Amino acid sequence: MSVDERTVTWVNEAEKRIAEKMEWLSEKSKNKIPYTTIHGVHDDKSSKTQEFSLDDGINWWTNGFWGGMLWQMYHKTGNERYVDIARISEEKLKQCFTDFYGLHHDAGFMFLLTYVADYKLTGNAEGRRFGLHAANLLAGRFNPVGKFIRAWNGEPGEGGAQDNRGWAIIDSMLNIPLLYWASEETKDPRFKHIAMMHADTLMEYFVRKDGSVRHIVQFNPETGEMERDYGGQGYGQGSSWTRGQAWGLYGFMMSYIHTGEDRYLDTAKRIAHYFIANIPEDGLIPVDFRQPEEPFWYDDTAAAVAACGLLAVADAAGEFEKEIYHRPAVKMLKALYENHCDFSKDSDCFLQKCTAAYHDKSHEFSIIYGDYYFIEAIFKLNGTSVYLW
Ligand code: GLY
């Protein structure tokens, strides 16, 4: 059996097992918007029975990924049941627009994979309306002096929180496709210009010479000057949070896909080369490429997002360089599949060892976006994914 045949075999098997699990899991969790699992069972970020702050609960930034998994399944199978279940979460997400205060730059993650996906795949006019609403809210976060989109919320002095009016974060690169889509949809270039100015700012201030990427950069919100950076969810200042590297890699590819500007492809490749050079022998990705040997934690989400990014670079790369990007993507996905995946009925998730942040109290648990990107990547390897970004 050739290497290619061996790859096809396990990818086919993975795709089949994902489809089998999603068939019962979508019914089991149909009234939830999950973030993680508790004792193997999906939690519910839309539940009104728990106490949430405004940016938790229904406004939680990951609330689009469950919808994204359902839309990927609908695209693959044509089964209308996935449309029905995806729309249960969309109905709940309407609340975000009236809450308003809990929404921040993650509007892209939340609404591209729900309303906009619904519109793209079914022509649902409501999806277009809420998608454009979200794009306008995201565009409104643009700071024209610093040419960046503000990340999170809060007013100075509020509850003793750190002043974050000048903060931009690398994750935003996956939110700005909402702006590209809004321009493509309305023929109004304002949204695209904001997205490109933001991408150019991040290209200049976030991507280091070696291809590694910062998580948070603070600009002066009045003058736009860069003031400092933060380690954010990684090990520390100057470290290399792996999901942040993956957000940069896939995010700059998204800007390239929407604009055709080579500078974004070149940036994605630079981050890709850094990422590839740091993939451990076993293909499993730590939380931070510069974390100490102990304590050591994995982050499967970083592997899944980076694999999607590498596959996108491979698509755009010339014939002789495709393998440079394709091979490490397959290596990471196979490592996840063989070591960290659960396809059983004992657990409502796929990936087992995801970590939100290095310094959090909990590590190596299931996180919904890990599952979303794992599915997107496996389907992409088999040519059955849909590009929702
Ligand atoms: N967007 C926040 C995170 O990646 O955890």
Side-chain angles (χ1 to χ4, degrees):
M1 207 186 250
S2 73
V3 174
D4 275 357
E5 281 167 335
R6 280 203 298 273
T7 300
V8 169
T9 304
W10 78 259
V11 175
N12 281 341
E13 191 182 88
E15 190 179 26
K16 189 163 161 280
R17 294 173 84 184
I18 288 169
E20 282 166 3
K21 183 156 183 169
M22 280 302 291
E23 205 173 320
W24 61 261
L25 184 57
S26 56
E27 291 296 340
K28 184 178 175 198
S29 297
K30 68 179 178 220
N31 292 315
K32 298 179 179 179
I33 305 186
Y35 166 64
T36 186
T37 50
I38 298 168
H39 305 304
V41 179
H42 266 157
D43 68 345
D44 180 14
K45 282 288 185 189
S46 71
S47 168
K48 295 273 189 297
T49 59
Q50 296 169 43
E51 272 192 20
F52 290 118
S53 66
L54 259 182
D55 57 2
D56 201 337
I58 194 62
N59 298 310
W60 180 237
W61 76 275
T62 68
N63 280 354
F65 291 102
W66 174 239
M69 289 161 68
L70 297 163
W71 286 117
Q72 287 289 350
M73 288 308 301
Y74 171 64
H75 176 263
K76 178 183 149 53
T77 64
N79 182 346
E80 294 288 335
R81 190 67 193 132
Y82 289 116
V83 176
D84 298 340
I85 301 173
R87 286 191 183 150
I88 295 175
S89 65
E90 284 164 29
E91 206 46 46
K92 294 179 183 198
L93 287 168
K94 284 180 183 160
Q95 177 69 36
C96 302
F97 293 97
T98 41
D99 284 356
F100 173 71
Y101 289 115
L103 285 181
H104 48 63
H105 79 137
D106 284 326
F109 283 119
M110 293 173 75
F111 301 117
L112 275 168
L113 298 179
T114 52
Y115 291 118
V116 178
D118 190 345
Y119 172 62
K120 284 179 182 168
L121 294 179
T122 73
N124 183 0
E126 185 167 76
R128 184 182 195 270
R129 187 157 55 89
F130 281 109
L132 290 175
H133 194 353
N136 274 279
L137 289 170
L138 181 57
R141 303 186 68 83
F142 186 65
N143 180 320
V145 177
K147 296 188 172 64
F148 67 88
I149 291 171
R150 180 182 172 179
W152 296 311
N153 297 333
E155 291 168 28
E158 195 182 41
Q162 204 168 358
D163 180 0
N164 62 8
R165 291 171 300 163
W167 284 18
I169 69 173
I170 191 65
D171 327 27
S172 59
M173 291 304 294
L174 284 88
N175 288 318
I176 61 174
L178 180 64
L179 301 177
Y180 293 125
W181 168 79
S183 275
E184 288 152 14
E185 195 55 36
T186 62
K187 313 284 183 289
D188 180 341
R190 284 177 302 143
F191 302 99
K192 175 189 73 177
H193 290 313
I194 288 176
M196 290 176 76
M197 281 192 268
H198 177 76
D200 289 339
T201 300
L202 267 61
M203 207 164 67
E204 183 174 350
Y205 292 101
F206 280 66
V207 187
R208 302 184 187 113
K209 281 199 171 66
D210 64 359
S212 69
V213 174
R214 298 178 164 120
H215 183 197
I216 301 172
V217 171
Q218 174 175 306
F219 300 95
N220 183 311
E222 294 286 0
T223 66
E225 274 168 287
M226 178 184 167
E227 291 180 332
R228 56 162 296 179
D229 67 343
Y230 296 91
Q233 286 161 251
Y235 177 64
Q237 197 175 19
S239 78
S240 176
W241 177 47
T242 53
R243 192 163 63 254
Q245 318 307 294
W247 290 144
L249 162 51
Y250 198 15
F252 277 102
M253 269 318 290
M254 290 175 181
S255 277
Y256 172 70
I257 289 166
H258 283 281
T259 66
E261 292 291 336
D262 282 340
R263 64 184 184 279
Y264 301 137
L265 176 61
D266 293 344
T267 304
K269 281 184 173 176
R270 195 143 65 86
I271 302 170
H273 297 160
Y274 168 82
F275 199 102
I276 292 166
N278 281 280
I279 296 175
E281 196 60 37
D282 62 7
L284 295 165
I285 303 301
V287 182
D288 194 306
F289 283 135
R290 295 172 188 166
Q291 70 186 27
E293 277 178 30
E294 290 291 335
F296 179 96
W297 291 298
Y298 291 112
D299 181 17
D300 293 345
T301 74
V305 176
C308 288
L310 289 171
L311 293 175
V313 180
D315 273 352
E319 206 46 47
F320 298 115
E321 46 170 8
K322 281 189 189 304
E323 270 307 294
I324 297 173
Y325 307 102
H326 196 269
R327 201 178 310 116
V330 171
K331 176 179 170 141
M332 287 190 289
L333 292 168
K334 188 160 189 261
L336 290 177
Y337 178 64
E338 290 178 345
N339 300 288
H340 288 180
C341 261
D342 187 343
F343 292 100
S344 77
K345 290 207 168 180
D346 297 340
S347 162
D348 291 350
C349 63
F350 292 91
L351 300 182
Q352 303 294 300
K353 291 186 183 285
C354 307
T355 299
Y358 186 88
H359 294 289
D360 278 356
K361 286 201 187 84
S362 310
H363 306 89
E364 301 186 344
F365 52 99
S366 69
I367 304 184
I368 196 77
Y369 48 87
D371 288 350
Y372 171 79
Y373 287 104
F374 181 68
I375 291 174
E376 183 186 308
I378 294 292
F379 286 10
K380 182 149 175 59
L381 277 180
N382 252 359
T384 54
S385 68
V386 56
Y387 186 71
L388 297 175
W389 302 100

